[in-house]
Amino acid sequence: MRVLILYETRRGFTLTVARAIRDELQRRGILATTAPLRGVDDGTVAAADAPIVAGVGPALGVQEGIARLPSLEGKPAAVFCTCDVAPRNTLDVLAVWLRRRGAEVSVGETFKRRKSLRQVPRFVDVVLEAFARAQANA
C-alpha cells in the first residue's frame, strides 16, 4: 500500500504531525510520503492507494488544494487537523471536501499541540485498519 500524506500548515506543527505519521507508517513497512497539499502533482496523487489529508482551520488553502486534486474515486482516505483549543467542525469539513473528489473518508483525528504526537501510533493503527477494510471490500 502507498499512502500519501497531504498537508497545509501555518506555523509548522501540521507538517510535524504529517512527518510523524509518515515515519510511523514507514516503520510498519508501508510506503508513505508527505507533500504540501497545494504543491502536489497529479501523478503523485494518482500513484497513491490512499491519501491522508491534514488541514488547519480549515484554511482557505486547504479547500483550494483539495479542489485541485485529481479524482480520488474509490480511494480510502483519512483526515486530521491540528489546533490549539478546539477543532470545531474541521474534520467534518475536510471529509466533505474529500468525498466530493470521490474519496471514502472513514477516519479523522485532532492533534492538539501539547503531547499530541503520542497519539500518532494509535491513529496509524486506526487508519491502517480502515484502509485494510476498504481494500477488502473493493
Side-chain angles (χ1 to χ4, degrees):
M1 172 174 278
R2 293 165 301 205
V3 176
L4 176 61
I5 304 158
L6 299 168
Y7 62 88
E8 178 74 21
T9 190
R10 290 183 189 160
R11 292 176 279 178
F13 184 65
T14 304
L15 175 57
T16 299
V17 175
R19 287 177 175 161
I21 292 167
R22 176 201 62 203
D23 294 348
E24 182 66 23
L25 286 165
Q26 289 176 348
R27 271 192 286 282
R28 297 175 188 213
I30 304 294
L31 180 59
T33 58
T34 56
L37 181 58
R38 290 191 283 173
V40 68
D41 64 90
D42 289 356
T44 299
V45 176
D49 298 311
I52 298 175
V53 177
V56 181
L60 182 59
V62 176
Q63 182 178 16
E64 292 170 357
I66 291 172
R68 289 186 189 130
L69 292 175
S71 173
L72 300 172
E73 194 63 42
K75 290 188 180 194
V79 295
F80 76 89
C81 69
T82 59
C83 64
D84 288 324
V85 180
R88 292 178 281 186
N89 64 343
T90 300
L91 295 174
D92 293 334
V93 170
L94 289 171
V96 165
W97 291 342
L98 283 170
R99 287 181 183 120
R100 287 182 188 153
R101 305 297 309 140
E104 297 175 9
V105 182
S106 60
V107 177
E109 183 72 45
T110 300
F111 292 89
K112 293 187 179 179
R113 295 213 177 264
R114 293 188 181 175
K115 303 177 184 175
S116 65
L117 291 178
R118 290 188 217 159
Q119 294 171 226
V120 168
R122 185 191 51 74
F123 176 65
V124 168
D125 287 341
V126 173
V127 166
L128 290 177
E129 182 179 307
F131 289 178
R133 267 194 321 271
Q135 284 186 328
N137 293 332

